[in-house]
Amino acid sequence: MTDTAETGALPVEGVPAARVLDEIRALRAADRPTHGGRLFAYVYDPGVAGLDQLAQAAYAESAHVNGLDPTAFPSLLAMENALVGAAARLLGGGPGTSAPDVVGSVTSGGTESLILAVKAARDARPDLAEPRIVVPVSGHAAFAKAAHYLRVALDPVPVDPVTLRPAVADVAAAIRPETVLVVASAPSYAHGVIDPVAEIAAVAAAAGVRCHVDACFGGWTLPWLRRLGAPVPPFDFAVPGVTSISVDLHKYAYAPKGVSVLLHRDPGLRAPQFFAYADWPGYTMVNPVIASTRSGGPIAAAYATLRHLGEDGYLRLAAVTRDAVAGLADAVRAVDGLRLLAEPESTVVCFTADDPELDLFVLVDELTARGWHTQPQLAYAGLPASVHLTVTAAVAPRVAEFGPALAEAAAAARAAGPVVLPPELLALAGSLTPEALTPDLIAGLAAGLGLGTGPAPDRMAAVNTLLQAAPVRLRERLLVEFVGLLQRPTW
Ligand SMILES: Cc1ncc(COP(=O)(O)O)c(C=O)c1O
């Protein structure tokens, strides 16, 4: 953006509405396609005609409603309670179940739900000076963020390189007297595998510790897949010892972004999640979640989406998605040198390459060049680099095209050969400490990789190869620096 008069956010004279919208549409043209089943991360598209329009209308109805005070806006409270009830019922709670007293809150997303699950667990144990949480390394990075924000120590548990699940004995061994929460994923985002929730919850319960099931990704698919006959292991409130569950409505409930639900087995478990403050001269404040002022837009849009799709809609979408997953997995199996890292058991297809001539990061770029947007995952702790596909219902009509595209991209990646970075750069990446990174060094690295203040380069294989060569702490620091270069004001 160079022409400030044209694109600045605060022009001297206001711009007519139609032109503003045109400008936004022009900016959006550079984005990855949110609809159409060719983007396998970030977005969840059911491909249902009219659903976007409904959600947008519902969003607009409530955009200016403030969730700060549920007594001032009972419409929002009613919709939140309905969303929590629906999520609880889907996940083994509510009247007539073994968890009749389930309560919950609507949050802005999975990360907020997880931070609040950790906060509730921490604040339930004010006697502990140094609380800790036990999280399999396949658990979402948001747990590390929660630990960091809340000053709780993180005890990671390794996962088996074949099953990609933690051993229950390792989870049990990681629990200490200071442990306030044990985590299981249903499923993990990276690989889409479901942790042994029943066993993990049992060891947590035996130690008197809360157990959170992160079903942010799978909580709105696994129940339907089970109804369709898939062998989904118990992972919800039917499992004794599970004390809280998170499920994101902006993922597989296909609601617009900004809505997740955090459920607790009973009100007592939820209580320490809340924050109240009356020790100031302003309004007495009570916040169930992190934000104080909250737009009603996402909540109304989620409510409209659930009501419109209904159980039959979600069941149908789950069946379509299940078949798409099977088709994509077959496409991977058909390409020499590629291997599924895990047999799909939910809605993720994750594969790796066994052939050193087939560089996965180059393959991802070749797929991008052909209009297919997949997500590369760096090698980590004995696990190989992999490619992640989040599969949604909108992918189904594309499956037949994906196989040939994958084969073609793999052939092109082989022909191009693996990324070769200058040996001195690789040596630097392997040996640098984050503290040794100077602004000059960062600027030089970024320029060398084509990362500047503009959009990211079309080909990211070199960036991914460099990041992969770096130890974890340096990876983090480089990411912060590179994104910091992007986040600069336009004047
Ligand atoms: C299992 C799991 N937990 C938590 C999150 C974080 O969710 P959000 O990006 O909505 O904060 C994700 C996101 O993909 C996830 O897959």
Side-chain angles (χ1 to χ4, degrees):
M1 279 190 211
T2 46
D3 189 345
T4 304
E6 281 304 312
T7 56
L10 185 61
V12 175
E13 285 175 17
V15 174
R19 212 178 108 199
V20 175
L21 282 178
D22 283 346
E23 289 168 4
I24 291 175
R25 291 190 188 111
L27 286 170
R28 289 272 293 107
D31 291 350
R32 301 208 165 185
T34 53
H35 294 73
R38 284 171 160 266
L39 173 54
F40 294 96
Y42 313 116
V43 298
Y44 298 79
D45 179 11
V48 172
L51 189 64
D52 272 355
Q53 289 75 9
L54 169 66
Q56 283 159 16
Y59 198 109
E61 283 294 332
S62 296
H64 293 286
V65 170
N66 194 339
L68 174 67
D69 182 349
T71 62
F73 300 104
S75 67
L76 210 54
L77 183 63
M79 287 189 273
E80 284 200 64
N81 284 342
L83 293 176
V84 169
R89 201 152 54 88
L90 193 60
L91 294 168
T97 70
S98 57
D101 301 324
V102 168
V103 289
S105 302
V106 175
T107 73
S108 65
T111 299
E112 187 179 355
S113 289
L114 300 186
I115 291 174
L116 287 171
V118 174
K119 176 197 167 345
R122 183 198 68 174
D123 289 356
R125 293 294 310 273
D127 55 308
L128 293 174
E130 294 180 351
R132 318 182 68 89
I133 58 174
V134 171
V135 185
V137 294
S138 54
H140 196 274
F143 287 110
K145 183 171 173 177
H148 178 74
Y149 279 17
L150 297 167
R151 290 189 186 275
V152 168
L154 182 67
D155 288 316
V157 177
V159 295
D160 181 284
V162 176
T163 66
L164 305 167
R165 293 177 232 278
V168 178
D170 289 344
V171 174
I175 298 175
R176 308 194 201 174
E178 302 81 23
T179 304
V180 296
L181 186 70
V182 174
V183 166
S185 303
S188 62
Y189 176 80
H191 309 121
V193 303
I194 304 165
D195 284 342
V197 172
E199 292 84 347
I200 290 176
V203 296
V209 175
R210 293 178 181 223
C211 174
H212 180 80
V213 175
D214 179 4
C216 284
F217 188 84
W220 215 270
T221 52
L222 295 176
W224 313 119
L225 293 173
R226 180 188 283 144
R227 284 190 207 178
L228 291 166
V232 174
F235 72 95
D236 60 17
F237 284 117
V239 176
V242 169
T243 52
S244 55
I245 305 180
S246 49
V247 55
D248 292 355
L249 304 187
H250 64 199
K251 292 192 169 73
Y252 282 98
Y254 295 119
K257 305 256 179 281
V259 190
S260 167
V261 175
L262 172 60
L263 302 167
H264 294 273
R265 188 179 280 274
D266 62 53
L269 288 162
R270 183 180 62 172
Q273 174 195 311
F274 287 21
F275 177 79
Y277 199 70
D279 199 0
W280 74 310
Y283 56 86
T284 46
M285 194 176 79
V286 52
N287 291 153
V289 297
I290 295 177
S292 204
T293 284
R294 288 190 290 154
S295 169
I299 292 165
Y303 178 78
T305 304
L306 262 66
R307 283 203 52 81
H308 185 59
L309 289 175
E311 293 200 353
D312 59 342
Y314 284 114
L315 208 54
R316 185 179 54 75
L317 291 168
V320 167
T321 308
R322 174 200 58 191
D323 296 348
V325 166
L328 295 174
D330 283 346
V332 171
R333 287 190 196 96
V335 177
D336 265 356
L338 295 184
R339 174 172 61 85
L340 291 170
L341 201 53
E343 280 302 314
E345 52 189 73
S346 58
T347 54
V348 171
V349 173
C350 179
F351 61 89
T352 187
D354 283 332
D355 177 351
E357 291 309 305
L358 181 50
D359 184 324
L360 277 185
F361 301 145
V362 178
L363 172 66
V364 166
D365 285 347
E366 291 295 338
L367 281 167
T368 307
R370 288 166 177 75
W372 299 92
H373 306 277
T374 59
Q375 196 167 47
Q377 301 184 134
L378 307 183
Y380 170 77
L383 303 177
S386 58
V387 178
H388 167 106
L389 309 183
T390 288
V391 185
T392 59
V395 171
R398 299 283 182 189
V399 171
E401 298 161 53
F402 182 76
L406 182 65
E408 208 184 288
R414 267 184 218 283
V419 168
V420 183
L421 289 182
E424 57 281 6
L425 188 58
L426 278 178
L428 190 67
S431 61
L432 255 184
T433 59
E435 298 71 39
L437 273 179
T438 61
D440 281 352
L441 198 50
I442 291 155
L445 273 174
L449 293 166
L451 298 170
T453 49
D458 291 341
R459 298 204 164 248
M460 293 292 284
V463 177
N464 287 321
T465 305
L466 180 81
L467 287 173
Q468 185 164 263
V472 165
R473 296 294 162 246
L474 183 60
R475 284 181 190 179
E476 292 164 356
R477 179 68 196 285
L478 287 170
L479 289 169
V480 168
E481 297 295 343
F482 291 160
V483 170
L485 290 176
L486 293 174
Q487 294 211 315
R488 295 288 159 95
T490 47
W491 303 113

